[in-house]
Amino acid sequence: MESKALALIGDIGGTHCRFALARDGQLLRETITIYDSNAYLSIVDAANAFFKTQQAHIDIACLAIAAPVGGDAVHLTNNPWQFSIKQTQHDLGLSVLSIINDFEAIGLALPHLRAEQLQQIGGAEPQPKKPKAALGPGTGYGATHVINCGGNIVALPTEGGHVSLAPSTQQELELFEWLLQHRLQITCEQLISGPGLERLHGALCDLNGVTCEKLSAAQIQQRASTSEDPLCVAALNLFCELLGTAARDQALCCLAQGGVYIAGGIVKRFIPFLRASGFRKRFENSDTMRALLEPIPVFVIVEENPGLIGAAAHTTVLRLRG
């Protein structure tokens, strides 16, 4: 493969790491390779496994990671990998290595997503050049705010997964009391994530005096979508309503009249259930801000690799700086 203008890009999560090549800021989809993070001791080992499949010399890379980024030392949030950016750049033989937050990468992808890569859940048309918010559950929970600065797209990395949630119903008051009794923090990541859905299901079983069958998030979602298990239905609907609360709060924090975008590997699996749930009602639920919230569109990103698209777009900035 001709290596001119090629760059390595990656999306490193708690469960999987995705690598690909980009040319002139565009993701080369045919190069996407997905690895199990647990199969490798380090990010260098995983990247080198990808390099072995490519016939090109790469000297620039942008890797999006599920962790806060600041300074040289990086500690992934839901993955045991730790590394030095400078040492990793040296070990991979790169002239430039940029490490960005995974939801920063998703934010950078938003201007590049097409209509068929999105499913709208209520609201009107997004207002051009207005702020956007992206958020979503996967192994953890991430969030970012996206603003247009004189035609330049800036995605602000956050640690929105560790923001507290407030109850909106009597059921949620009882649930949150149960969580406190079990010494669990009441945050987005604790409840609106894959492990969070499992936690909600377990709590509802306990609160209803039912022996809890140990189910994965995928099994809960599947049983809820087919209505075969009332407690799975209740857990997933609660998940959707809490997601509506979190999405509303993010929208209000940045006045996201450009839209709210839900990413992550979970929600796109049950969009019909989300539409029928209390998600949108909860999103618009505000005595004082309802008129502002009602027209804000919410989109579920159905594109499989928004993080790679955003990382690819960022490589054009890296070349300009170089």
Side-chain angles (χ1 to χ4, degrees):
M1 180 182 292
E2 173 60 46
S3 62
K4 184 179 180 181
L6 286 176
L8 170 69
I9 54 174
D11 186 0
I12 314 301
T15 305
H16 298 103
C17 50
R18 292 169 167 81
F19 292 103
L21 298 179
R23 177 182 284 114
D24 298 327
Q26 299 295 315
L27 168 64
L28 300 179
R29 291 183 179 273
E30 66 275 14
T31 67
I32 296 173
T33 308
I34 303 174
Y35 299 96
D36 182 347
S37 300
N38 293 324
Y40 297 90
L41 294 177
S42 70
I43 194 169
V44 171
D45 289 342
N48 278 330
F50 174 75
F51 278 146
K52 289 178 181 178
T53 69
Q54 305 301 314
Q55 302 298 318
H57 173 70
I58 307 299
D59 66 345
I60 286 180
C62 175
L63 304 180
I65 64 166
V69 181
D72 181 63
V74 176
H75 302 261
L76 272 75
T77 304
N78 293 300
N79 181 317
W81 289 351
Q82 302 178 21
F83 61 92
S84 155
I85 297 175
K86 290 181 180 179
Q87 187 62 48
T88 299
Q89 179 179 331
H90 175 268
D91 292 345
L92 294 178
L94 301 168
S95 61
V96 177
L97 171 60
S98 177
I99 302 292
I100 63 175
N101 176 264
D102 59 339
F103 264 79
E104 181 180 357
I106 288 171
L108 293 173
L110 296 185
H112 304 281
L113 296 178
R114 303 182 302 275
E116 61 267 25
Q117 295 168 303
L118 303 167
Q119 289 284 325
Q120 187 167 348
I121 311 293
E125 291 295 314
Q127 295 187 31
K129 298 186 179 180
K130 292 294 186 179
K132 306 175 192 289
L135 55 95
T139 304
Y141 179 101
T144 185
H145 296 158
V146 182
I147 56 176
N148 187 311
C149 294
N152 295 316
I153 302 302
V154 178
L156 305 175
T158 76
E159 282 303 313
H162 305 285
V163 171
S164 297
L165 279 168
S168 298
T169 65
Q170 182 63 38
Q171 181 192 44
E172 288 174 11
L173 277 172
E174 295 171 2
L175 168 70
F176 287 11
E177 183 178 2
W178 184 94
L179 292 166
L180 290 174
Q181 291 172 352
H182 287 76
R183 298 185 178 181
L184 293 168
Q185 286 190 310
I186 303 171
T187 65
C188 291
E189 184 151 310
Q190 285 285 341
L191 298 178
I192 316 173
S193 63
L197 178 56
E198 295 168 11
R199 200 167 286 123
L200 290 174
H201 179 257
L204 289 177
C205 288
D206 199 8
L207 289 170
N208 284 277
V210 175
T211 301
C212 187
E213 183 181 357
K214 185 71 173 177
L215 299 174
S216 69
Q219 289 172 319
I220 296 166
Q221 176 261 309
Q222 184 177 18
R223 292 189 183 191
S225 296
T226 57
S227 301
E228 66 180 86
D229 186 323
L231 279 175
C232 288
V233 172
L236 191 59
N237 195 61
L238 181 55
F239 179 97
C240 292
E241 292 187 352
L242 292 172
L243 180 61
T245 294
R248 178 196 65 203
D249 291 349
Q250 288 291 326
L252 291 172
C253 283
C254 68
L255 291 180
Q257 293 168 311
V260 174
Y261 296 77
I262 299 175
I266 293 180
V267 176
K268 61 188 174 187
R269 299 173 185 166
F270 55 84
I271 293 175
F273 189 101
L274 182 72
R275 290 187 190 279
S277 75
F279 168 82
R280 184 74 204 191
K281 183 178 179 181
R282 184 67 68 86
F283 178 80
E284 297 175 0
N285 183 28
S286 172
D287 291 339
T288 54
M289 291 289 114
R290 184 180 300 276
L292 185 148
L293 289 163
E294 284 180 343
I296 292 178
V298 176
F299 300 94
V300 177
I301 300 174
V302 295
E303 157 63 40
E304 289 292 329
N305 297 288
L308 291 178
I309 292 173
H314 189 59
T315 61
T316 60
V317 177
L318 300 181
R319 291 197 182 278
L320 289 173
R321 289 175 182 172

